[in-house]
């Protein structure tokens, strides 16, 4: 299975870390959200709400399939959980994860206060610590469940937001 799934909630640093790891180890990195947006035209930005999670996951699976035709391995930064239009946590349908050919899951986590600051700085939007804690918990539960279903390793990494993150994860890829 050639996909390393770099998971975590909004604002934890998935895309930045994926790019840094890609440069260090030579495995191309992609953002699930960017791949989906390139096809469906939705722009997520500060608005994290998804209109059709089922269609989006089919788009993602198709994009990954195409990418894997020209790459031996990829790093895919994405989520197990998203927020719906009401701001409620929703799980991504399990079926997509088997289609992504995941060999390993790396779950990125950080303190809720740090994530809140990242989201506020990046998106100019305030999230409650309660909602951040809620999606962190749901993301971890889904990562554990998916790793078990796929019988693949799950690495939980607490972000330091330094070069230490890249150094620690390079050897785990």
């Amino acid at each position: 299975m050639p996909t390393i799934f770099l998971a975590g909630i909004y604002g934890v640093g998935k895309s930045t870390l994926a790019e840094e790891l890609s440069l260090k180890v030579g495995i191309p990195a992609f953002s699930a959200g960017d791949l989906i947006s390139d096809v469906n035209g939705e722009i997520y930005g500060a608005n994290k709400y998804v209109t059709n999670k089922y269609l989006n996951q089919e788009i993602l699976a198709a994009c990954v399939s195409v990418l894997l035709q020209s790459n031996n391995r990829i790093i895919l930064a994405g989520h197990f959980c998203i927020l719906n239009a009401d701001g409620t946590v929703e799980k991504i349908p399990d079926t997509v994860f088997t289609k992504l050919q995941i060999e390993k899951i790396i779950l990125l986590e950080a303190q809720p206060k740090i994530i809140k600051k990242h989201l506020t700085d990046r998106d100019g939007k305030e999230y409650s610590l309660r909602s951040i804690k809620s999606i962190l918990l749901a993301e971890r539960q889904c990562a554990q469940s998916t790793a078990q279903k796929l019988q693949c390793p799950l690495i939980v990494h607490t972000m330091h937001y330094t070069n230490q993150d890249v150094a620690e994860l390079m050897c785990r890829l």
Side-chain angles (χ1 to χ4, degrees), residues 34-141:
D34 290 349
L35 292 172
I36 294 166
S37 293
D38 287 348
V39 174
N40 71 8
E42 285 185 353
I43 300 183
Y44 301 108
N47 172 15
K48 303 295 182 202
Y49 309 129
V50 171
T51 55
N52 187 335
K53 69 180 178 183
Y54 298 102
L55 176 61
N56 285 358
Q57 300 319 305
E58 290 303 317
I59 291 170
L60 178 60
C63 289
V64 167
S65 178
V66 168
L67 289 169
L68 291 174
Q69 290 175 16
S70 56
N71 297 283
N72 293 333
R73 293 173 88 198
I74 64 169
I75 299 170
L76 180 65
H79 306 281
F80 286 105
C81 300
I82 56 174
L83 295 174
N84 66 18
D86 300 329
T88 305
V89 176
E90 283 191 28
K91 296 176 184 176
I92 300 291
D94 285 345
T95 54
V96 72
F97 298 109
T98 57
K99 296 175 185 175
L100 297 179
Q101 300 183 52
I102 295 171
E103 72 175 58
K104 182 179 301 183
I105 298 167
I106 300 173
L107 177 64
L108 304 181
E109 295 185 334
Q111 292 297 315
K113 287 181 183 180
I114 294 171
I115 293 171
K116 179 180 168 75
K117 181 176 180 348
H118 288 177
L119 289 171
T120 301
D121 292 348
R122 184 184 74 190
D123 301 338
K125 184 173 180 177
E126 289 289 328
Y127 290 86
S128 72
L129 282 176
R130 183 177 176 210
S131 66
I132 291 170
K133 289 176 184 177
S134 175
I135 197 167
L136 270 168
L137 178 61
E139 188 81 1
R140 180 179 271 228
Q141 290 171 340

Side-chain angles (χ1 to χ4, degrees), residues 1 5 7 17 37 66 68 90 97 144 149 155:
M1 298 283 185
F5 192 61
L17 185 59
S37 293
V66 168
L68 291 174
E90 283 191 28
F97 298 109
Q144 291 169 334
K149 286 177 189 167
I155 299 160

